[in-house]
Amino acid sequence: MKVISLVLNVLWLVFCGIWMAIAYAIAALICFVLIITIPFGIASLRIAGYVLWPFGRTTVDRPGAGVPSLVGNVIWVIFAGWWLALGHLITSIPLFLSIIGIPFGWANLKLIPISLMPLGREIVSTDQEFAGW
């Protein structure tokens, strides 16, 4: 199973992972420049690493995240989350059009919720190739 994850991650990196990771890195840089949004920049870099190598990992709710994460997620959606989610949606379309890209299209759609609400989530390893919804 580790070999399958490696192959899927390398193909993912070539077809769409690098572009989406760059988008998250740009969002992080903008957040770092605005100083008060540095926590959002850190979350964006964390997700960029996940977007680069998603197979064999998933996200789970972080215990004790609470109301500050909710408020931060609302702010994130307004300023950066919606266009990152749109990027995932747009990059999934050509992947779905090719037969070999269908699993990558599904993976892109699976990343939309974390692109919209990154705070209060953590990235963990999983033994499943395609983590459950």
Side-chain angles (χ1 to χ4, degrees):
M1 290 300 195
K2 298 282 185 193
V3 174
I4 293 172
S5 287
L6 177 66
V7 170
L8 287 172
N9 279 320
V10 169
L11 290 172
W12 169 267
L13 186 66
V14 170
F15 289 120
C16 63
I18 191 75
W19 308 113
M20 289 309 300
I22 289 170
Y24 281 100
I26 290 169
L29 288 175
I30 292 169
C31 289
F32 289 143
V33 168
L34 298 175
I35 297 175
I36 197 165
T37 56
I38 287 175
F40 300 117
I42 294 168
S44 186
L45 286 179
R46 191 170 31 94
I47 299 168
Y50 178 53
V51 168
L52 272 175
W53 213 254
F55 294 98
R57 299 190 295 171
T58 190
T59 62
V60 295
D61 289 328
R62 192 177 73 226
V67 175
S69 291
L70 177 66
V71 171
N73 280 328
V74 169
I75 294 168
W76 173 261
V77 167
I78 293 169
F79 292 107
W82 69 270
W83 65 267
L84 290 168
L86 185 64
H88 283 296
L89 184 64
I90 289 171
T91 56
S92 71
I93 293 169
L95 292 169
F96 278 121
L97 294 176
S98 68
I99 292 173
I100 198 161
I102 291 173
F104 302 118
W106 280 117
N108 244 329
L109 293 180
K110 186 182 93 169
L111 290 167
I112 289 175
I114 188 124
S115 70
L116 288 172
M117 305 255 181
L119 303 174
R121 308 276 304 165
E122 62 183 317
I123 300 164
V124 296
S125 293
T126 180
D127 56 352
Q128 300 174 0
E129 297 307 314
F130 297 95
W133 290 78

